[in-house]
Each structure stands twice: as structure tokens, then as C-alpha cells.
Amino acid sequence: MSVFPSFTPSHPAGRHARVLLSSVFGPYAQDDEFGSRKINPMELYHNQVTRAQGPFSLRIFHRSWGIMFLQSNLENPSTVLDFPTRERFIEELKSNPYDVVGISSIIVNVGKVREMCRLVREHAPKARVLVGGHVAAIPDLDTMIDADHIVKGEGVSWMRRFLDQDPSARIVHPPIASGFGHRIMGLKLPGDIGSTAATIIPSVGCPLGCNFCTTSAFYGGKGKYINFLETGREVFEAMEAAEKAMHLRAFFVMDENFLLHRKRAMELLDCMREANKSWELYVFSSANALRQYTMEELVELGISWVWMGLESPRSGYAKLSGTDTLDLTRNLRANGIRVLGSSIVGMEHQTPENIASEIEYACGHETDFHQFMLYTPLPGTPLYAEMKEQGRMLDDEELADVHGQFKFNWKHPFISRDQSKTFLDSAFWRDFERNGPSLYRICRTTLEGIRRYRSHAEPRVRARFEREMKNLRTQYSALLWAMEKHLRLSNDSVADKVRELRLEVRRECGGMGSFTSSWLFGPMMLWLTRREERKLAKGVTYEPKTFVERKNWATD
């Protein structure tokens, strides 16, 4: 077996090799012998952000963007098999003579990678097996799985070299829907209606290099990143192509710190102005990167959602240095920019005596969403190396449980392993108890933006907030009506806030439309919400559907 961070071997069939690119097999939201965990479903929001919000939790799946990106940039006959069952993976191997099988995975799914490698040897013994993704960061992975090559870091150039193609060729950005399988308060949206945004991937890696960050470490660590789209013009062209292909005007920008690169972002704004584009951007950004921009620049750029680290003020991370995050998040929300705050539970300075106040501080940001994760040393990160050297890693922990939503995998100076889960769960519950459902919060922030910008001098900006106003008046009015009624049973103070917001939406966004939506669809949404709550109480879980996508595929 070969492990390749940079040097690349080659396949004798080159660009004629048949390639299968697969994510790990499901089901995912269950406990099994391959490493699936019920607590770790294939739903980012429900897993890490809204999991304490019951029927109000945002249920949505996201595709495996990495293998889609690889397929788009290879000339070979290829298949993407995303979210297969174990049986469907076997069927694919037996039905087609593949020369290369690439398996992409995160660390916790190493057990599934091991089984998939075994299945390839059994059903497609002539195929070369490649393994990539964050799982490649596991020390001595080559002794745990039967693969031919383990690929670390960025995969497009590696695969192009491996298959006799130009690694420096321009990146082809595939059309990617940001999500699918949306379920809101028990309502399963049909087809792809929920996919209201396209995903754009300008860069991978983050130059800030926080010690716990697997993404930063995977792409070279502090000070390093790889641009697929170097300029604002290139980002604009990728967005425009996605707009034409998918008929969408909102974009999830999958870049660890998109706004850090101000020159690129401002060039994108110039292109948007020139083409009169009324777009919405959902971005990741550090607090310090946001400070490079005026609020007017952010609004004109279409920034409507920001995922931002809100670690403890005592954490010492440079991305928070000199920034009053409470004031920043208030200002963003006051301008209609929804915020997903991300906080770490169990940092080394935290104790059983002070952690409640740290959680309260995090919840005090009143962000629209709030992610909580345990401070977790993952293989490949500087934090893991540090803890390993100090002898503080718990060596008997299964990698399947090291996902940041269960218990510590290391020895904390003050907090026990069992306490870590108790404190993590309390953070989610306190955020929900204090701030209410995230669906309510995004309506609140959206209304703030409408009030401030519906008469903006720039037509592009006005058009965006007019769309937001229509959504509040129609779709969200019914949700708020049902939410208020259901919360009366458990949290009267939040129910009062929801009612107040619902009446404000009626006054600000059009009384008749809001009233009609509430009374026509509100009772139905209340029934669905209560049915969903009963289903969840019985242990019902959700799984993503399987995708099969072929390119350059000739059939006999």
C-alpha cells in the first residue's frame, strides 16, 4: 500500500480507466458493527446544530461534494455512488468492470471504509482501491484497511495525474444543490423544492489554522489553503453558471473563511453590480474577517447568512482577537444577516464550576442557529499531536465515537468523560430554552433586514428583500402560527415571542396574505408538528436517498 501526500503514481489505463467514486454505505442513523451511530446521523444541522429542538429541528441532507467535484474534473468514464446501501455498493461492483474504486470518508467511518475495501477485493479484484477524505489523516491507516493508495489533501490534481491528465487544467465546477430531503416541522418537501441554494467551492483549507481544525490541517495547516477559484470574476462565473443550470439565486459558499480574501470578494461585488445580480450568499467567516467590511458592503454583496466561530473569549484564538462578538452578532442580525454561531464545549480552562456561565455567554449571542461541539483532538490536527505527546489521549476509544457529539476522547484536567456529554447536551437545551426554535429566529432576523433595506437605493438589494418579504408573508406565517400553538405546551415565554413576531410580520409584510396563510395552512402545520414529535419520541430516524450519476459512460 502507498500513502501519498504529494507524489502520485499512475494507472496504466490512464484516461480510459473506468472509475467508481463512492461515499461510505448506509444506513447511518443507527448503531451497528460498521461504526454507524444513532447519535451521529447524516444530517449536519440535526446532528450538530438543532438536535435539541425536537420537531422544529431543521432536517436536511447534503451531498458528498468532494466526489462530485472529482467526477466533474476527470475525463474518464465514471460513476458517482452517493449514500449507497452496502447491498447497492456490491451490486455496482458486480455490474460494471471498474479499474479504479475511490472511497471518500471522514474519520468516524473508518470501519465502513475497511468493509468497502474488503468488498472491492471480493467482487472487483482487478480494481485499484483509493481512499481519500479526512479518514486519510488517521495514523497507520494503511495497517487498518486493504487499499492500494491513501490520498491525503486535495484530490483533483492527484487524480488527474494518476489518470494521465493535466493536473493544472482549469477547474470545472459542477452544479451542486446545497441540500436535499428537507423536512420542516414534519413537512417533507417534495422533490428538490427544498434546494433553494447552489453550492460554490472557491477554496479548501483555512490559513488561520486553529489547533483543533481538521479541515485546516488536512490541507496543509496554518497559513495554507488551495484556491480553485482565484479571482472574484471566476467565483462570479461559477455562480452565474449555477444560476443558469439550476435556476437559483442563492449560493452556499463552501469556503472555510470566504470573506478573509477581501480583494476576491470585492471583485465579486463589482461583477454582481455590473450584471445587476440580486443574489444571496451563505458564507463561513471569522469575526476578524467580517471586520474588514462595512455593513453596506456586506449587504450589497448579498451576504444573508454567516457561519462564525464564537469560541470562549478566553480561548485565545486569533480569529476573535479584539472583536466584541456579542456586538458583532447583534449588528449582523439587525441588518438581516442570519448568524450560525459555533462554540466549543470542554476547552481546557473550563471547569464544572464555570462552564454554565460559558454556555450562557454563548447563548447570549442569540444567533439564529448555534452549533456546539466538544473540544476534540482528531488525528492530523496540532491538538491531537499535542495531546498524544502529553499522554492524554484515551487510547481505548473507538474512532466511530470521536465525532464531537458524544464524549471526550482525551483526559481533560477538570471535566470527566461522562460530564462532557452532560455539559454538551445542556448547551443545546439551554440555547433552545432561552432563544426558541431556529426557524423562529431566522424569521426575526429576516424581518429586521426587510425593515431596513426594502427601500434601499440599490434595486438589486431591494429585490432580494422583496423576495424575503414574500416568503415571510406566505410560507413562514403558517409555520409561526403552528409554532406558537405548539410551544404553549412547554415554553410560554418563547410562545409569546413567536406570537409577537407573527403579528409584526402581518403588519410589515402584508396583512391579508399573512392572515390567509396562517389560517389556511397553520392548523395543518400544527398537526404535522405534533405528529413529528410523536414519531421522534418513538425513535424514528431519517436516511438520505442513494444517488447514481454517470459521466462519459458508454453502454453496450
Side-chain angles (χ1 to χ4, degrees):
M1 180 187 298
S2 303
V3 181
F4 294 101
S6 55
F7 169 73
T8 312
S10 61
H11 192 284
R15 64 192 64 211
H16 302 293
R18 283 194 167 207
V19 179
L20 172 62
L21 301 167
S22 182
S23 58
V24 297
F25 61 81
Y28 309 97
Q30 65 175 30
D31 297 326
D32 65 24
E33 70 272 28
F34 299 115
S36 289
R37 295 292 185 265
K38 190 171 184 178
I39 197 176
N40 189 35
M42 192 62 75
E43 298 172 86
L44 174 62
Y45 283 93
H46 185 65
N47 185 331
Q48 301 177 10
V49 183
T50 59
R51 66 179 175 90
Q53 297 187 21
F56 303 114
S57 182
L58 182 59
R59 312 303 294 262
I60 177 175
F61 299 104
H62 297 85
R63 291 289 306 276
S64 301
W65 298 333
I67 56 177
M68 297 174 69
F69 217 82
L70 287 172
Q71 183 184 49
S72 183
N73 285 277
L74 295 177
E75 301 171 21
N76 299 69
S78 60
T79 300
V80 159
L81 186 60
D82 206 2
F83 310 123
T85 61
R86 182 174 176 276
E87 293 72 24
R88 182 64 184 84
F89 181 68
I90 293 172
E91 178 188 341
E92 188 64 31
L93 293 174
K94 294 170 71 173
S95 302
N96 295 286
Y98 286 106
D99 302 295
V100 177
V101 177
I103 302 166
S104 178
S105 174
I106 58 175
I107 290 169
V108 296
N109 288 322
V110 63
K112 294 190 175 186
V113 174
R114 181 189 301 114
E115 174 65 2
M116 293 174 79
C117 290
R118 188 192 69 78
L119 291 171
V120 176
R121 298 305 188 204
E122 179 181 348
H123 299 289
K126 294 182 180 180
R128 289 202 193 175
V129 182
L130 316 179
V131 171
H134 288 284
V135 72
I138 298 175
D140 301 319
L141 178 64
D142 56 326
T143 67
M144 301 168 63
I145 63 174
D146 183 12
D148 294 296
H149 307 301
I150 296 173
V151 184
K152 294 186 176 182
E154 187 272 310
V156 172
S157 60
W158 194 99
M159 287 291 286
R160 282 173 166 173
R161 285 192 294 267
F162 179 65
L163 296 169
D164 192 28
Q165 292 158 48
D166 181 3
S168 63
R170 182 170 179 173
I171 291 292
V172 178
H173 199 296
I176 305 174
S178 67
F180 69 95
H182 297 60
R183 186 180 296 269
I184 299 174
M185 293 169 60
L187 177 64
K188 173 67 170 66
L189 300 184
D192 294 322
I193 288 178
S195 299
T196 56
T199 297
I200 303 295
I201 309 175
S203 310
V204 290
C206 178
L208 294 185
C210 296
N211 66 339
F212 59 82
C213 182
T214 56
T215 306
S216 175
F218 191 70
Y219 293 105
K222 191 175 183 66
K224 297 181 181 178
Y225 57 93
I226 299 168
N227 279 339
F228 294 134
L229 305 174
E230 292 279 355
T231 67
R233 172 62 66 179
E234 290 176 351
V235 176
F236 174 84
E237 290 172 354
M239 293 169 69
E240 191 172 45
E243 179 187 39
K244 291 177 180 177
M246 306 172 73
H247 309 290
L248 298 172
R249 289 180 290 192
F251 303 91
F252 182 82
V253 183
M254 186 59 230
D255 184 304
E256 291 294 311
N257 206 338
F258 179 70
L259 294 177
L260 186 65
H261 308 284
R262 178 176 167 82
K263 180 179 178 181
R264 183 175 65 182
M266 295 307 291
E267 183 179 349
L268 171 61
L269 175 56
D270 289 339
C271 293
M272 289 171 62
R273 285 169 173 162
E274 180 183 341
N276 193 33
K277 295 295 186 181
S278 177
W279 287 343
E280 302 168 40
L281 276 65
Y282 312 146
V283 304
F284 292 80
S285 180
S286 63
N288 278 349
L290 280 163
R291 292 171 61 195
Q292 299 179 94
Y293 302 83
T294 66
M295 199 56 63
E296 184 69 18
E297 287 171 337
L298 292 175
V299 169
E300 288 202 28
L301 190 55
I303 305 298
S304 64
W305 185 94
V306 174
W307 188 315
M308 177 171 56
L310 296 175
E311 288 82 17
S312 166
R314 296 177 59 188
S315 65
Y317 290 118
K319 64 184 180 182
L320 299 173
S321 179
T323 300
D324 181 344
T325 56
L326 288 168
D327 182 68
L328 176 59
T329 54
R330 276 194 298 267
N331 196 19
L332 289 168
R333 290 187 291 104
N335 284 272
I337 299 176
R338 290 151 286 197
V339 179
L340 193 160
S342 180
S343 296
I344 296 175
V345 174
M347 302 194 76
E348 294 203 68
H349 70 273
Q350 293 174 341
T351 69
E353 291 73 34
N354 68 24
I355 198 165
S357 64
E358 296 251 330
I359 291 171
E360 197 67 24
Y361 172 81
C363 296
H365 288 82
E366 298 184 37
T367 54
D368 301 273
F369 298 92
H370 212 123
Q371 177 195 46
F372 292 97
M373 297 285 285
L374 288 176
Y375 194 47
T376 304
L378 286 169
T381 64
L383 180 61
Y384 179 87
E386 176 187 338
M387 294 295 178
K388 194 75 173 174
E389 183 179 356
Q390 295 174 4
R392 297 170 64 187
M393 296 300 301
L394 300 175
D395 295 328
D396 59 341
E397 290 303 302
E398 290 190 46
L399 286 171
D401 294 317
V402 184
H403 45 70
Q405 290 295 323
F406 183 47
K407 297 179 180 180
F408 282 152
N409 65 331
W410 61 290
K411 300 173 186 175
H412 192 283
F414 309 111
I415 297 172
S416 73
R417 183 170 181 270
D418 287 340
Q419 284 178 317
S420 68
K421 176 166 171 50
T422 299
F423 292 138
L424 178 66
D425 290 346
S426 72
F428 283 107
W429 282 111
R430 178 55 183 152
D431 178 60
F432 181 50
E433 176 187 54
R434 171 175 173 163
N435 297 319
S438 288
L439 288 169
Y440 151 71
R441 297 181 232 174
I442 63 175
C443 291
R444 175 195 60 191
T445 298
T446 300
L447 183 60
E448 290 296 319
I450 290 168
R451 284 169 169 160
R452 186 166 292 215
Y453 294 109
R454 62 184 167 192
S455 299
H456 192 274
E458 176 64 56
R460 296 183 312 107
V461 176
R462 288 202 307 273
R464 175 160 69 90
F465 285 98
E466 284 168 4
R467 295 196 300 271
E468 300 272 28
M469 185 162 60
K470 179 181 178 182
N471 288 337
L472 276 189
R473 182 172 60 243
T474 54
Q475 303 166 14
Y476 284 104
S477 288
L479 299 184
L480 292 172
W481 187 94
M483 189 183 297
E484 175 197 338
K485 304 302 180 191
H486 189 70
L487 284 170
R488 286 290 172 207
L489 304 174
S490 59
N491 194 330
D492 217 39
S493 63
V494 171
D496 286 340
K497 293 178 182 178
V498 174
R499 174 179 172 79
E500 181 181 351
L501 177 63
R502 179 171 62 83
L503 296 178
E504 288 178 8
V505 167
R506 183 180 300 178
R507 288 192 296 269
E508 298 282 350
C509 300
M512 184 55 67
S514 176
F515 178 84
T516 302
S517 175
S518 295
W519 287 100
L520 280 180
F521 301 109
M524 179 190 73
M525 289 307 306
L526 178 59
W527 181 84
L528 288 170
T529 299
R530 290 177 173 169
R531 185 185 68 168
E532 182 74 1
E533 186 170 61
R534 292 191 298 270
K535 290 170 64 176
L536 296 176
K538 293 178 181 178
V540 170
T541 58
Y542 298 109
E543 298 287 345
K545 67 179 182 180
T546 299
F547 291 83
V548 182
E549 295 163 343
R550 306 194 193 276
K551 177 187 173 188
N552 300 331
W553 198 261
T555 56
D556 296 330

